[in-house]
Amino acid sequence: MKAVRFHEYGDPTVLRYEDVEQPVPGAGQVRVRVAATSFSPVDGNIRAGFMQGPMPVTLPHTPGIDVAGTVDALGDGADRLHVGDRVVGFLPMTETGASAEYVIAPADVLTPAPAHIPLTDAAALPSVGLTAWQALFDHAKLATGQRVLVNGAGGAVGAYAVQLAHRAGAHVIATASPRSSAAVTSAGADEVVDHTTTDVAATVAEPVDVVLNLAPVEPAQLAALLTLIRPGGVLVNTTVWMPAPSDDERDVRGIDLFVRSDAEQLARLVALVDADELRVDVARRVPLAELPAVHADAAAGALPNGKVVVVPGA
């Protein structure tokens, strides 16, 4: 089968589109014929060698933490699934990824794929959808009527966070550039702040209950966002290389989010997609052989907002 792998850490040129042996599922595993994976910034960080401490991988390594596809073979004990099932999942970050024609997945990370969108597009849901869900509901405990600031709402996680917060009955303030403002408004933002021309901390007039930071801001900017949160509120930060600040005097908690695979939560997201209550937006679809170019675009800051879906055999 074909796969994209890197045999050493480095820039995007280390990625090779090559022939590898088709994998065989072990106990509790299934083999998935990949309809699509997606590009994630964490894939680029792992490839570059920046994550060797928290996320060690065995070389050669195949990136691709999201998968959408069809179950092709079952390992012992993987009785919950059947050959032919259309599935979606968030794969273990340190194991072989889905940038290939087939991938091995733990059966318990997979859930039935959305029925109302193309299977390839479902690969844009797992990791970013789960990040938004866990940030808002597991960590921030977002409730109806609360005010939430989504900083960096124009990206892939932000698109889901704005939709989910709006659906939960929160007042959503979103920061976005002019090229993303229309999409963020369409997703359900009540207010949009142009972070390219204004100081976000100075623009938000009333306190918020939750700040969700998705943007690679400077530490001083993150600390300024903390001042916008009312006593007892929370700041959830996904830029984990920069710890979330707290304010103990005002009982404002800072939480660093490390997204985890959760098939039950993913099934809830899938149900929302099929009920037309959650939109899956795909910025670009590319063939698997072009994945190195996607990594290069990401390194150059040239990727579009939203998810890039990578399709084997396209």
Side-chain angles (χ1 to χ4, degrees), residues 248-261:
D248 293 338
E249 290 186 4
R250 298 191 305 118
D251 190 29
V252 175
R253 295 174 298 129
I255 297 172
D256 293 306
L257 171 64
F258 295 87
V259 63
R260 58 183 175 82
S261 186

Side-chain angles (χ1 to χ4, degrees), residues 35-294:
T37 184
S38 72
F39 172 79
S40 171
V42 73
D43 290 326
N45 288 331
I46 291 173
R47 183 216 70 236
F50 299 150
M51 308 295 287
Q52 293 182 57
M55 295 180 191
V57 299
T58 300
L59 299 179
H61 178 69
T62 304
I65 58 176
D66 292 315
V67 65
T70 306
V71 174
D72 172 75
L74 305 175
D76 291 341
D79 302 329
R80 185 175 63 86
L81 297 171
H82 305 88
V83 171
D85 285 351
R86 291 161 41 101
V87 293
V88 63
F90 176 23
L91 300 174
M93 292 188 184
T94 57
E95 301 298 324
T96 300
S99 298
E101 292 179 317
Y102 295 86
V103 68
I104 298 300
D108 60 6
V109 308
L110 301 174
T111 197
H116 293 175
I117 63 172
L119 185 56
T120 52
D121 289 3
L125 178 63
S127 61
V128 286
L130 286 170
T131 299
W133 182 280
Q134 291 169 18
L136 293 173
F137 305 120
D138 287 359
H139 296 292
K141 309 298 183 185
L142 186 69
T144 300
Q146 289 188 322
R147 291 168 54 84
V148 56
L149 170 63
V150 180
N151 191 48
V157 176
Y160 289 113
V162 171
Q163 291 183 78
L164 291 170
H166 173 75
R167 182 181 176 276
H171 180 92
V172 183
I173 307 166
T175 74
S177 66
R179 70 173 182 168
S180 304
S181 60
V184 168
T185 300
S186 175
D190 298 285
E191 303 176 43
V192 178
V193 177
D194 180 359
H195 64 84
T196 67
T197 61
T198 59
D199 179 82
V200 176
T203 303
V204 178
E206 298 180 33
V208 299
D209 300 280
V210 176
V211 167
L212 172 54
N213 180 59
L214 308 171
V217 296
E218 296 295 327
Q221 293 172 294
L222 191 59
L225 295 180
L226 188 72
T227 67
L228 300 175
I229 303 172
R230 69 175 77 252
V234 61
L235 185 155
V236 182
N237 179 45
T238 64
T239 54
V240 294
W241 59 88
M242 179 174 54
S246 298
D247 185 341
D248 293 338
E249 290 186 4
R250 298 191 305 118
D251 190 29
V252 175
R253 295 174 298 129
I255 297 172
D256 293 306
L257 171 64
F258 295 87
V259 63
R260 58 183 175 82
S261 186
D262 189 309
E264 182 179 340
Q265 289 181 349
L266 185 54
R268 295 182 193 175
L269 292 168
V270 167
L272 293 176
V273 172
D274 279 339
D276 294 326
E277 295 183 28
L278 186 67
R279 189 175 67 231
V280 174
D281 290 322
V282 175
R284 186 191 299 174
R285 299 168 185 83
V286 301
L288 178 61
E290 295 180 14
L291 181 59
V294 175

